[in-house]
Amino acid sequence: MNQPTLTDALIIGAGPVGLFQVFELGLLEIKSHVIDSLPAVGGQCIELYPDKPIYDIPAIPVCTGRELTNNLLKQIEPFAPQFHLGQEVASLERQGDGRFLVSTSQGNQFLSKTVFVAAGVGAFQPRTLKLEGIEAFEGKQLFYHVNDPERFTDKQIVICGGGDSALDWALHLVGKAKSVTLLHRRDDFKATPKAIGEMRRLCAKQKMALLIGQISSFETMHGRLCALQVTDIDGLSQTIPVDDLLVFFGLSPKLGPIADWGLTIDRKQITVDTEKFQTNTPGIYAVGDINIYPGKKKLILSGFHEAALAAFAAAAYLQPEKQIPLQYTTTSPKLHKALGVSSPNIE
């Protein structure tokens, strides 16, 4: 096994609060590595509402989940965090010297002085298609995430789901795939009006197809998925050919191995204090929707506040002999240097 990656801070979760945690730590000269179970950064903002408006981010009247994520990524560029995506934290063990040895589902290891749990409501897992035997095709012809859109070129594609991800990929693959069929259990979609309108326009022009119903069975040929049996609400069935099946039923959060780390858990959330946002284990902090304390409100802006206080607490924990001054990005030459901006002349 490779030597573990050494770091001062390991952040578990690459949603908005995890990304802002990178920024707050960076201002205090603490470098971060970030782990997330999803294949891309952004957490719920990207997976659940990438194009839906958010109205309660301070000083930003409106932005989408995608825009918020992109802005946060731009904001943390000066601190060059390293991301480790598509993997879950499998174990966490405190070492004799006080550091934490963290292992992931991909066999990567990290030796970190501090750990920040910013995992939202837990590690997100895709809700899977409940059909006996279909799991044999996962990663071959059945996909819950799209990593390589080019593989679907000239294929007969069936996409299941009625949310943003399902419609976005259906629209993206029209004209590239041999055929695109969108399959949803009802003629009601939880996606942007623009996407729904475009989908219906393409269906009217027979550029793609819409089926209302659910997959009841599948057919194979030479060990490959070749057709789906679709049954509608009236019990009528039809068979449609398929080369690749994309399923977007949303995400299901799971607390997972975090529950085994010896942290105090209350209703699947980690209890913290409101001074440091530290757990019952010194050096481990929890910020964002994963934590709970009296008066807790599950808002992105609350998570940003928690990340700031947790960063200062971690700085004091890492260097207990050092006074951690409060500096302002408007006036501090030191912070300007860290951010890569020039300091204004202040009279």
Side-chain angles (χ1 to χ4, degrees):
M1 181 176 289
N2 295 330
Q3 290 294 315
T5 299
L6 305 181
T7 183
D8 286 332
L10 183 67
I11 300 170
I12 301 170
V17 175
L19 296 178
F20 193 67
Q21 187 70 72
V22 170
F23 181 78
E24 288 296 319
L25 289 168
L27 290 178
L28 296 169
E29 301 180 292
I30 302 172
K31 295 291 185 181
S32 306
H33 284 254
V34 186
I35 300 173
D36 200 288
S37 62
L38 295 171
V41 301
Q44 295 182 60
C45 279
I46 291 297
E47 292 295 322
L48 300 183
Y49 46 91
D51 298 310
K52 292 184 179 178
I54 303 171
Y55 296 100
D56 61 349
I57 304 300
I60 302 176
V62 60
C63 68
T64 65
R66 195 186 314 277
E67 289 168 340
L68 178 62
T69 299
N70 289 339
N71 285 338
L72 285 164
L73 284 171
K74 186 172 181 59
Q75 188 176 36
I76 64 177
E77 278 180 3
F79 306 121
Q82 295 190 46
F83 291 96
H84 309 270
L85 304 175
Q87 53 193 300
E88 294 182 50
V89 173
S91 65
L92 179 149
E93 299 175 3
R94 187 155 208 158
Q95 304 301 288
D97 62 3
R99 292 183 294 179
F100 301 95
L101 180 64
V102 176
S103 301
T104 76
S105 56
Q106 287 191 5
N108 295 318
Q109 288 192 321
F110 302 83
L111 195 55
S112 183
K113 295 178 182 177
T114 60
V115 173
F116 295 79
V117 186
V121 287
F124 281 105
Q125 301 291 336
R127 291 190 174 93
T128 57
L129 180 62
K130 306 303 181 186
L131 202 60
E132 187 177 352
I134 197 70
E135 64 277 0
F137 302 99
E138 190 170 335
K140 301 170 184 175
Q141 293 177 273
L142 168 63
F143 302 92
Y144 296 102
H145 291 293
V146 176
N147 295 324
D148 179 20
E150 297 303 315
R151 69 157 287 126
F152 305 118
T153 301
D154 296 327
K155 299 285 187 67
Q156 299 176 107
I157 305 300
V158 176
I159 300 177
C160 297
D164 285 305
S165 295
L167 269 74
D168 286 350
W169 280 114
L171 298 177
H172 178 81
L173 292 173
V174 168
K176 300 179 179 69
K178 182 178 180 180
S179 67
V180 175
T181 300
L182 180 64
L183 173 63
H184 191 39
R185 64 185 183 276
R186 60 178 182 269
D187 194 10
D188 180 30
F189 298 90
K190 293 183 178 180
T192 62
K194 181 180 178 182
I196 296 170
E198 180 65 7
M199 177 270 293
R200 295 199 186 280
R201 186 184 71 80
L202 290 172
C203 288
K205 289 190 169 186
Q206 298 185 331
K207 300 288 186 181
M208 63 176 287
L210 170 64
L211 286 181
I212 306 303
Q214 299 185 70
I215 302 172
S216 52
S217 64
F218 60 90
E219 298 175 12
T220 62
M221 181 180 295
H222 306 305
R224 288 183 57 82
L225 189 65
C226 66
L228 302 172
Q229 192 81 14
V230 175
T231 303
D232 65 20
I233 56 175
D234 296 320
L236 300 176
S237 296
Q238 62 176 301
T239 301
I240 57 173
V242 64
D243 292 317
D244 285 322
L245 174 61
L246 281 63
V247 175
F248 300 106
F249 287 161
L251 300 169
S252 176
K254 293 182 174 19
L255 197 57
I258 293 174
D260 302 322
W261 294 355
L263 306 178
T264 303
I265 306 290
D266 181 10
R267 290 170 290 176
K268 297 184 179 181
Q269 296 163 291
I270 302 171
T271 60
V272 293
D273 62 62
T274 52
E275 177 190 2
K276 303 175 181 177
F277 290 93
Q278 186 171 255
T279 68
N280 62 307
T281 299
I284 300 182
Y285 307 85
V287 293
D289 288 355
I290 195 72
N291 73 18
I292 190 168
Y293 53 85
K296 169 72 179 185
K297 297 293 182 289
K298 289 190 175 184
L299 297 169
I300 294 175
L301 64 90
S302 299
F304 289 167
H305 158 77
E306 295 163 11
L309 293 190
F312 276 95
Y317 173 82
L318 291 169
Q319 296 182 295
E321 74 290 343
K322 183 178 178 181
Q323 194 75 12
I324 309 298
L326 178 63
Q327 300 182 73
Y328 300 99
T329 57
T330 50
T331 57
S332 169
K334 184 177 181 180
L335 296 185
H336 292 162
K337 182 178 179 181
L339 292 168
V341 298
S342 59
S343 294
N345 292 321
I346 299 175
E347 297 295 334

